[in-house]
Amino acid sequence: MLKLRNQEAIKTTLKSFFKKDLNLLIFFVTSKCNLRCKYCFNAENLSSGENDLEFSEVKKMITRLPSSIRSILFSGGEPCLRKDLEKIIGLFVNRGITDFAIPSNGVATKLILETLKKIARKYPQTSLVACTSIDPLKLAHDHLRGPGAYQKAIRTAKGIVHLSQKRKNIIPLVNSVVAKESVPFLNQFIRLVYQEIKPKLHTLDIVRTNPKNENDFSKFSDQDYIKIKNARMSIDKLYRGNDLLYSFYKKRSLILTDIQKKIIKENHSWPVRCAAGRTSAVVYSSGEVAFCENHKPMDNLRKHDYDLSKILNKHKEKYLQMTKKHKCDCNHLVYLRQAVEYNFPIVWLNSLFK
């Protein structure tokens, strides 16, 4: 029987389309990390955390947040290495924000599970998307992230799934970054995740690239893209095959992969304008602010009394002109998915007549 599953995700998608406002804050809550992944886009900003915003500074930022912010995507670094993460989430909750995504490399299993358990128990009204990063397969994962990282991530992901059975506000996800060397293992890996880890959802991301500085990880062939597209559709079938919106998810996977291929291999522009800066903003652990992760920070909260709106309004026009002219289109899946959902009827019609 067909059912309408994942209603929270559906609500978020509908809000993105009908209520086009600044709703997502990507917050790099710490610069500390216990891995040094070879393809990390934020590697140059990782440190021991000495310049990270202190709790009192984070509190000032949150009290001045735009009222339209509804979701927080934590990043880093490794978010759970921030000792006061639970208290920081409490500050957001006090502002009426209850949707959180906490990604993790899965290395510090005990710490991650204890942190999630405390947050879920203390704030039962929240929705906590706990996303473990696991790449296909062990050989590629450990080569790109570090020896032994794969088994630790598997153990953490299974632990989160087990924890979610008791704490219903925890939503276990697995995200996999697909590099050139991991493409041959995609089908095997997708089955492994589905059968052995059993998360609520599995997502595939393509390793981020800069067209002007392409690296070995992202030199995909046309055949590789076909395999990635088929893998994404297999995931849609496994996790959403009985969903009333299955056709929508399948079409979205096709569109996203085609756009990413054109950007990486052919340096094409997006079929629609990027929504970053209009629907999302980025705050780094040092207080620096950007409209998106692929742009250099434009200012720092510490210089503006921790008022994010003041900074965004000051620089908004210049940035929006760049997106309007497609000066900075990229293959960042979060922004690309956001833009597709923001303009889905246009993107869908465009795909029909290509």
Side-chain angles (χ1 to χ4, degrees):
M1 181 182 294
L2 293 177
K3 296 182 179 179
L4 193 60
R5 302 177 185 273
N6 205 356
Q7 294 186 32
E8 289 302 316
I10 294 168
K11 289 178 183 177
T12 300
T13 301
L14 291 175
K15 284 179 181 178
S16 296
F17 180 68
F18 290 107
K19 196 171 183 180
K20 300 175 179 179
D21 55 8
L22 183 67
N23 60 77
L24 172 65
L25 175 65
I26 301 174
F27 183 24
F28 286 69
V29 71
T30 182
S31 61
K32 295 180 181 179
C33 194
N34 44 12
L35 286 182
R36 290 296 184 271
C37 303
K38 292 185 178 182
Y39 51 64
C40 179
F41 72 96
N42 196 39
E44 62 183 25
N45 294 318
L46 300 180
S47 70
S48 60
E50 68 277 357
N51 195 38
D52 289 355
L53 292 170
E54 296 181 1
F55 180 77
S56 59
E57 294 179 294
V58 175
K59 185 175 182 179
K60 290 179 182 177
M61 175 194 75
I62 293 174
T63 59
R64 294 163 172 77
L65 273 184
S67 60
S68 58
I69 296 290
R70 298 186 293 274
S71 303
I72 307 298
L73 169 56
F74 289 109
S75 191
E78 173 66 17
C80 286
L81 291 180
R82 174 103 191 195
K83 294 181 179 180
D84 55 4
L85 180 61
E86 177 189 343
K87 292 171 63 179
I88 289 174
I89 286 180
L91 294 176
F92 283 115
V93 171
N94 289 339
R95 281 295 308 270
I97 299 170
T98 57
D99 292 338
F100 301 94
I102 307 176
S104 172
N105 57 38
V107 171
T109 302
K110 184 178 179 181
L111 174 63
I112 294 165
L113 295 180
E114 288 179 350
T115 301
L116 290 173
K117 184 177 179 179
K118 288 178 182 178
I119 295 170
R121 182 172 54 194
K122 189 167 184 178
Y123 306 108
Q125 71 272 47
T126 59
S127 171
L128 302 171
V129 176
C131 183
T132 310
S133 297
I134 311 176
D135 300 342
L137 205 57
K138 182 180 185 298
L139 187 65
H141 183 106
D142 284 355
H143 172 236
L144 297 172
R145 293 180 179 268
Y150 179 79
Q151 290 299 340
K152 292 176 181 177
I154 292 286
R155 185 166 61 246
T156 297
K158 288 182 177 180
I160 293 173
V161 170
H162 178 73
L163 184 59
S164 71
Q165 293 170 359
K166 299 178 181 179
R167 299 292 171 184
K168 300 301 182 182
N169 54 335
I170 295 178
I171 304 168
L173 266 66
V174 168
N175 181 64
S176 303
V177 178
V178 182
K180 173 71 175 177
E181 64 185 89
S182 56
V183 171
F185 308 107
L186 280 177
N187 290 332
Q188 176 187 353
F189 180 67
I190 288 168
R191 282 288 172 183
L192 181 148
V193 171
Y194 182 73
Q195 294 172 354
E196 296 188 18
I197 300 178
K198 303 176 182 178
K200 288 289 185 181
L201 187 62
H202 184 191
T203 57
L204 291 183
D205 199 356
I206 295 175
V207 64
R208 297 189 200 177
T209 60
N210 179 342
K212 298 179 181 178
N213 186 28
E214 190 175 19
N215 58 58
D216 292 336
F217 307 126
S218 60
K219 294 180 180 177
F220 299 107
S221 66
D222 288 343
Q223 192 63 32
D224 289 334
Y225 280 102
I226 292 174
K227 291 179 180 178
I228 293 170
K229 184 187 296 185
N230 289 337
R232 282 176 168 168
M233 288 192 293
S234 294
I235 287 175
D236 288 332
K237 181 67 175 177
L238 286 171
Y239 293 89
R240 292 163 162 165
N242 293 325
D243 197 302
L244 283 171
L245 295 181
Y246 169 59
S247 296
F248 163 78
Y249 291 122
K250 182 179 178 181
K251 187 63 177 178
R252 186 179 66 175
S253 292
L254 290 170
I255 291 171
L256 288 172
T257 310
D258 285 342
I259 295 174
Q260 285 184 309
K261 176 188 175 183
K262 289 180 180 180
I263 292 167
I264 296 172
K265 290 188 69 67
E266 304 166 27
N267 202 21
H268 276 211
S269 297
W270 290 9
V272 291
R273 181 181 174 187
C274 180
R278 291 180 288 166
T279 60
S280 62
V282 180
V283 172
Y284 289 95
S285 58
S286 61
E288 292 185 314
V289 177
F291 280 110
C292 109
E293 295 174 3
N294 289 338
H295 280 268
K296 291 182 178 180
M298 55 199 169
D299 223 320
N300 196 299
L301 289 170
R302 286 168 168 155
K303 297 179 181 179
H304 296 274
D305 198 28
Y306 306 92
D307 190 334
L308 180 61
S309 293
K310 184 185 295 185
I311 295 174
L312 297 178
N313 291 334
K314 178 182 178 182
H315 299 273
K316 188 174 184 177
E317 190 57 38
K318 180 180 179 181
Y319 176 79
L320 292 183
Q321 285 301 314
M322 293 180 64
T323 61
K324 188 175 182 179
K325 297 177 181 179
H326 293 268
K327 294 279 188 179
C328 53
D329 289 350
C330 65
N331 73 309
H332 191 315
L333 188 61
V334 171
Y335 294 121
L336 187 52
R337 185 188 293 122
Q338 195 177 51
V340 167
E341 292 174 353
Y342 192 93
N343 301 279
F344 189 76
I346 299 173
V347 176
W348 180 72
L349 287 171
N350 182 72
S351 71
L352 291 179
F353 296 103
K354 68 178 183 179

